[in-house]
Amino acid sequence: MIIRLDGGRLYDTGRGSFEQASVTYDSNHGRILAIGQGDLPADHVVPLDGAAILPGFIDMHVHLRDPGLTEKESLASGLQSAAAGGFTQVACMPNTKPPTDTAEIVEDIVRRGRDVGKTQVHPIACITRGQAGEELTDFASLKAAGAVGLSDDGKGVQHGGRMLQAMGIAGELGMPIIIHSEDETLSGRGVLHPEAAKRLGLEGIPVEAEAAMIARDVLLAQATGAHLHVCHVSTEPSVAIIRWAKARGIRVTAEVTPHHLLLDESIIDTDDARFKVNPPLQSERDRAACLEGFLDGTLDIIATDHAPHTAAEKAQGIALAPFGMVGFETAFSLLYTYLVVPGIVPLRRLMEGMTSRPAEIFGLEGGAIYPGGRADLTIVDLTAEEAVDPDRFYSKGRNTPFAGWRVTGLVRRTIQAGRTIFEAGEERLA
Ligand code: DOR
Ligand code: ZN
């Protein structure tokens, strides 16, 4: 079927601005046929009433909790939540139950993810068996099964020698090593940034725990030539080390989350586990350094680290609750409202960080709208406004610190390979 989106404002990736233009695509082949007011006949016309047409968003760090932890999230609920957030592709982390450490589990996620019929999912597989930090997994078979990268996310690989060995093999296979940087001999049993922890009488996570492991791993990337991707960068020294590594030509890329760009530890004044996340909300100085790093490209991309947990788990209080915040359904609107609208971050940089740059780094299709390209499109109303309401999330997780925040930039429709995978107001799948 030939479909035309009419009356929208098309985002021009080259210029970073909008122009009035229609987009015509073939929903069978999933490709864009024409841009502009061409006279291609369409079977169906979708009126957009001035909404923005953006390239589909890509999130390279998410937790879908499937297999095994489906009381927190499932492929169905997680991929519907992703679609509702405007994401056309996501990469899911392997801290599932069992952990995603075999080709069979990778294939199962790809197959069942496709059956959900929402956002396209790319599994990330474990670096070590069971994420135990000891024996390496079989990288070649994981790659053949469809893994886009390797990570023990949720934990850092503590043993430097093992990481050197992993990067040697991953480098030869052309697979990125995606690191959760945390030296556990430093972070210990800490739960919050030391200042916030002091206020609440809890144990702190020394800020050095992150940068110490990033320093080790950029040197190992230099030694092996492997592509190192650093997850959820949160501190000033981490940004400085990555900037130094890039200047030396070391193959390192990095991501930053919406919560580390928008929040700092000073917001935590009660025992509310919605603020508990790993790495923790850091100081205002760290937040400013992450923002600067994102603006100058040191931190390449935005990743949500969407980490759903049950209400019961999060009700245990900061000392006992698991780390994590949900992110899909608030990422774009929060960043647009609080960074783009006030002129802190250009829309063009935000769009790069959420579309073209992740595609480029991980070799995925996407990030631009052009005739012949895949019809991965996110339709956003840049004028409507609402308050974040977790009860209306499609995710099973309600654990967000942004409840009640006023936002604009609301996702109305998401199209993946020519199929509408989300329309505002649709029913929950599960
Ligand atoms: O806050 C976090 N939650 N950080 C992680 O590294 C893991 C994640 C999770 O799986 O819940
Ligand atoms: Zn992590």
Side-chain angles (χ1 to χ4, degrees):
M1 202 158 59
I2 309 297
I3 299 178
R4 190 169 67 233
L5 306 174
D6 251 356
R9 296 192 306 131
L10 177 66
Y11 178 72
D12 180 328
T13 31
R15 288 188 305 179
S17 58
F18 292 97
E19 61 191 357
Q20 205 73 35
S22 66
V23 174
T24 307
Y25 60 90
D26 182 335
S27 63
N28 299 324
H29 302 114
R31 298 274 147 193
I32 293 172
L33 298 172
I35 287 172
Q37 309 299 342
D39 44 18
L40 268 184
D43 302 305
H44 184 60
V45 174
V46 181
L48 294 187
D49 303 320
I53 307 173
L54 305 172
F57 306 155
I58 302 174
D59 188 346
M60 295 308 298
H61 187 147
V62 320
H63 298 270
L64 298 176
R65 309 301 192 199
D66 196 340
L69 298 165
T70 51
E71 68 285 359
K72 296 175 194 272
E73 194 79 290
S74 65
L75 283 172
S77 65
L79 294 173
Q80 186 176 29
S81 172
F87 295 95
T88 50
Q89 302 181 73
V90 297
C92 62
M93 284 296 177
N95 58 344
T96 48
K97 198 176 167 186
T100 307
D101 62 2
T102 65
E104 289 68 35
I105 304 175
V106 171
E107 281 163 4
D108 177 62
I109 293 170
V110 171
R111 189 179 327 109
R112 287 191 299 117
R114 201 183 293 131
D115 290 346
V116 170
K118 295 285 183 185
T119 300
Q120 184 181 14
V121 62
H122 305 284
I124 294 169
C126 298
I127 299 172
T128 66
R129 282 210 189 285
Q131 297 194 303
E134 305 284 337
E135 191 195 341
L136 298 185
T137 56
D138 181 350
F139 296 177
S141 76
L142 294 166
K143 181 179 182 183
V148 288
L150 298 159
S151 182
D152 274 0
D153 183 56
K155 290 198 260 199
V157 173
Q158 301 301 308
H159 192 293
R162 195 97 61 241
M163 186 52 107
L164 177 62
Q165 195 191 359
M167 281 199 213
I169 300 169
E172 274 175 26
L173 291 168
M175 291 180 92
I177 289 279
I178 302 170
I179 57 164
H180 172 112
S181 323
E182 178 181 351
D183 181 328
E184 288 169 9
T185 66
L186 294 171
S187 60
R189 290 142 54 87
V191 290
L192 294 174
H193 180 275
E195 284 302 315
K198 203 182 336 164
R199 282 197 298 279
L200 294 176
L202 297 166
E203 271 192 75
I205 302 177
V207 290
E208 297 76 17
E210 176 179 271
M213 191 172 278
I214 297 175
R216 180 197 76 180
D217 287 353
V218 295
L219 296 175
L220 299 182
Q222 181 173 38
T224 56
H227 171 197
L228 174 71
H229 178 75
V230 184
C231 291
H232 40 54
V233 173
S234 70
T235 73
E236 185 276 327
S238 304
V239 176
I241 291 164
I242 294 165
R243 192 177 282 123
W244 172 87
K246 285 188 164 186
R248 288 203 142 199
I250 299 172
R251 235 177 122 199
V252 55
T253 55
E255 69 192 31
V256 64
T257 67
H259 47 273
H260 290 115
L261 288 176
L262 296 173
L263 303 175
D264 66 70
E265 58 80 22
S266 69
I267 198 174
I268 308 170
D269 55 8
T270 56
D271 187 0
D272 182 344
R274 288 177 309 161
F275 295 104
K276 181 175 179 181
V277 66
N278 192 15
L281 301 179
Q282 311 279 15
S283 70
E284 166 54 25
R285 183 163 153 267
D286 292 313
R287 189 196 67 83
C290 289
L291 181 60
E292 194 192 327
F294 179 64
L295 282 169
D296 73 13
T298 300
L299 307 184
D300 301 82
I301 65 174
I302 302 284
T304 65
D305 195 8
H306 176 80
H309 293 291
T310 65
E313 289 169 313
K314 279 295 193 182
Q316 296 172 98
I318 290 176
L320 296 175
F323 291 98
M325 300 171 172
V326 292
F328 284 145
E329 294 171 68
T330 52
F332 178 81
S333 59
L334 283 170
L335 294 170
Y336 181 74
T337 307
Y338 291 95
L339 295 179
V340 175
V341 172
I344 300 165
V345 171
L347 178 63
R348 185 184 189 147
R349 178 71 192 105
L350 178 63
M351 292 317 301
E352 269 174 20
M354 292 185 74
T355 67
S356 53
R357 192 74 186 121
E360 183 180 25
I361 290 175
F362 292 94
L364 306 176
E365 198 169 351
I369 302 171
Y370 58 95
R374 194 164 70 180
D376 281 8
L377 305 166
T378 298
I379 313 299
V380 177
D381 185 336
L382 294 177
T383 54
E385 213 185 289
E386 69 180 25
V388 172
D389 179 2
D391 289 334
R392 291 181 35 214
F393 287 168
Y394 290 88
S395 171
K396 290 187 188 179
R398 301 285 185 266
N399 46 302
T400 175
F402 296 106
W405 284 43
R406 303 277 327 162
V407 288
T408 180
L410 311 179
V411 175
R412 296 302 194 204
R413 178 188 290 264
T414 310
I415 298 160
Q416 202 273 327
R419 283 183 320 108
T420 293
I421 57 168
F422 173 72
E423 240 187 296
E426 73 181 27
E427 296 286 308
R428 278 196 190 84
L429 283 177

